Amino acid sequence: MQSEELIVTEGGLEMDTMFVNMGPQHPSTHGVLRLGLTLAGEVITKAFPDIGYLHRGTEKLMETRSYHQCVVLTDRWDYCSAMTNNLAFCLSAERLFGTQVPPRAQALRVVMCELNRIASHLILLGTYGIDIGALTPFLYTFREREMILDLYEKCCGARLTYNYIRLGGVAADIDSGWVAKCREFLEFFKPRLDEYDTLLSFNPIFLARTKDIGIISKETAVAWGLSGPNLRGSGVSYDVRKSEPYCGYEQYDFEVPLGASGSCWDRYFCRVQEMRQSVRIVEQALAELPTGELMAKGVPKIPKPPAGEAYAHVEAPRGDLGIFLVSDGGAAPYRLHVRAPCFINLAILQEILVGKKVADVIAVLGSFDIVLGEVDR
Amino acid sequence: MVAKPVPGGQVVLTSTDYIIDLSRKYSLWPLTFGLACCAIEMMVAYAGRFDFDRFGVIPRPSPRQADLLLIAGTVTKKMAEPIVQIYHQMPEPRFVMAMGSCANCGGPYYDSYAVVKGVDRIIPVDIYVPGCPPRPEALIYAVMELQKKIMRMKLERTYGATVQAEKGSRDLTGEPA
Ligand code: SF4
């Protein structure tokens, strides 16, 4: 801590501002984010997010890996929802190759990605509760999340880093036992959502700490390029699954939940409602699961796409995740760029934290649901 | 530990080493410190199904209160310095567990320009847990192995239990208990 400059309050009191470091080791920053906060008393006058503590150089590494090996590294960006990362990369690469994915693989991709959306939002519910001071929801949400992980494990063998969606299709098939188990989970899960509402969403203490905090107007949200539930919490209806459907999302009937005022609570509640919609999508996809191949024919072991570039984006649980791929005809991408939603969502902190109290920093930061693996890559 | 009947009850005879190690072993308090993907599996280990509390492993948010530093994730070059600082902020005896391939040797980022290839290059490590990420069961097994290791600690080797402040508990060898 060091004093920065002298300021004079309205009452004519002279005081120093103070510089406080939050992170990189802080239990509420959800990873290794460092926030430099300048305080006047208890009010923040300047906030500055310092990132890069988890920069692993993935984009550069991918320039030396083959396309199949790249999928492995995509798992580790947004590790709470590895499936959607796999999907974004594969969609982009498939565009480059011109591969047609068989219908069964498309439907399986949708099932897995929506289950992953639920699993990812469950992490947020649990950890946001902890940030605000409610320890109990964490234990409940992680119980349900374990059930999803069991389903994943049964299908592809991994709990967190799946590498399930591959170039041209998916890696493993599901059987009738899996479908029955998945339905069982969905039936178990639906009443649990109401339970979370009574436990956390409409808890008066939780409401008091999040309801009118961190309000982002529609215009500000769009101007800072927010996406995902953070944007929809402000009432802007933008969802890649609706505006640019991929994997056959146009066949499924679901709504895009919107928030009213753009406060922390709206962003949070958007996610709770999204889980309901995800349940609906999974049910529909399981009901009409096409039969047939899992992999497109003729994907080589070492794929060498024609020179060119491709961009594909998906609606990840944290927002609009896009992959831009450039190929020079070699076995590895010439350049790969990630439009990481967390990285872009994080930038708005420097504007909205100003004028808030110290205690609100945690509430605002938590409501953005950032994953540092994706911010820094 | 020996229990001897004496008139009016029993008296328990034990060595100081044994009783200190026993208490140390069942109150391993790790720092809540997640770096990357492995941290999610670490959180799962604290949650309902795996329930780390059964082993006396209760997370503490401050390094000053922690005995165990769980390096759960990729150690990047920018993060290396804070990690060393955190390590030095912990009171002795302190233990370090490298969780996941990244913390062991760099893992999938073995050829990255930004990653420290193994946390043992900057601080001494007691237990390595392989896997990417290791399952929570593996983490529990690692804690049990660390507990065995703690039972072999002896006061006579140094004052306190750790061999030397700077070496951490790396020189912790000796006959099995
Ligand atoms: S070992 Fe694997 S899961 Fe763990 S931090 Fe490294 S990449 Fe992530």
Side-chain angles (χ1 to χ4, degrees), chain A residues 51 53 55-56 150 153, chain B residues 49 74 76 78 112-113 135:
Chain A
I51 58 170
Y53 286 97
H55 176 66
R56 307 188 271 202
D150 281 351
E153 211 179 329
Chain B
R49 181 185 283 187
T74 319
T76 59
K78 189 170 180 182
S112 166
Y113 57 84
R135 298 180 58 93

Side-chain angles (χ1 to χ4, degrees), chain A residues 24-27 30-32 50-58 60-61 64-65 72-73 75-77 79-80 123 127 138-139 142-143 145-147 149-150 153 157 159-161 372-373, chain B residues 31-38 40-41 43-44 46-50 60-63 73-79 82 86 89 102 108-115 132-133 135-137:
Chain A
Q25 189 268 322
H26 188 282
H30 297 250
V32 280
D50 181 13
I51 58 170
Y53 286 97
L54 194 52
H55 176 66
R56 307 188 271 202
T58 326
K60 189 73 191 163
L61 281 188
T64 59
R65 304 279 208 272
V72 179
L73 290 183
D75 277 326
R76 276 106 185 142
W77 291 332
Y79 35 80
C80 299
I123 295 187
T127 51
F138 167 76
L139 296 171
F142 270 64
R143 177 187 63 187
R145 184 172 174 270
E146 279 294 310
M147 293 176 169
L149 296 194
D150 281 351
E153 211 179 329
R159 282 167 54 89
L160 194 70
T161 47
L372 268 296
Chain B
L31 182 66
T32 44
F33 180 47
L35 283 166
C37 348
C38 281
I40 303 285
E41 287 296 74
M43 274 156 60
V44 170
Y46 292 124
R49 181 185 283 187
F50 298 99
R60 305 301 304 174
S62 159
T74 319
V75 183
T76 59
K77 288 186 181 156
K78 189 170 180 182
M79 196 58 206
I86 289 168
Q89 281 172 349
C102 282
Y109 304 98
Y110 66 96
D111 53 351
S112 166
Y113 57 84
V115 172
C132 181
R135 298 180 58 93
E137 289 96 328

